[in-house]
Amino acid sequence: IASDVLLREVAARVAGVGLSPSGIDIVVIGARPRLGVRLDAMREAIAAILEIEPGAVNAKASTGNLAGDEGAGRSISAHAVATLRTAS
């Protein structure tokens, strides 16, 4: 499943209970591909889907200190935290 499809589904569920995101913090962990040059585009895309300002989206990339499958380039993982508010 594409990540934008998942994000839209989560946003719809959150809106369904009367909440909306006010801030997002995302860390993508993996040695490859190098994501530094893509972070601004990721931030813009996430903000557009969630209908929030790009400045409210903090996107970071990490190699995971080159440990585990992510550090060896065999997999990619992501961690995300959202701050929610009552929808207006």
Side-chain angles (χ1 to χ4, degrees):
I1 297 174
S3 58
D4 64 321
V5 172
L6 290 173
L7 182 56
R8 289 178 205 284
E9 176 63 24
V10 170
R13 290 182 183 203
V14 167
V17 295
L19 299 171
S20 64
S22 60
I24 306 292
D25 187 71
I26 301 162
V27 179
V28 180
I29 305 164
R32 293 185 301 263
R34 303 296 287 189
L35 297 175
V37 298
R38 296 181 175 99
L39 292 176
D40 286 337
M42 291 170 58
R43 197 174 291 116
E44 294 281 337
I46 292 164
I49 290 169
L50 297 177
E51 299 178 0
I52 61 176
E53 292 297 319
V57 178
N58 185 25
K60 300 176 288 289
S62 171
T63 61
N65 292 325
L66 302 177
D69 287 337
E70 292 96 343
R74 292 187 293 265
S75 65
I76 296 174
S77 64
H79 302 261
V81 176
T83 302
L84 303 174
R85 65 173 180 246
T86 304
S88 50

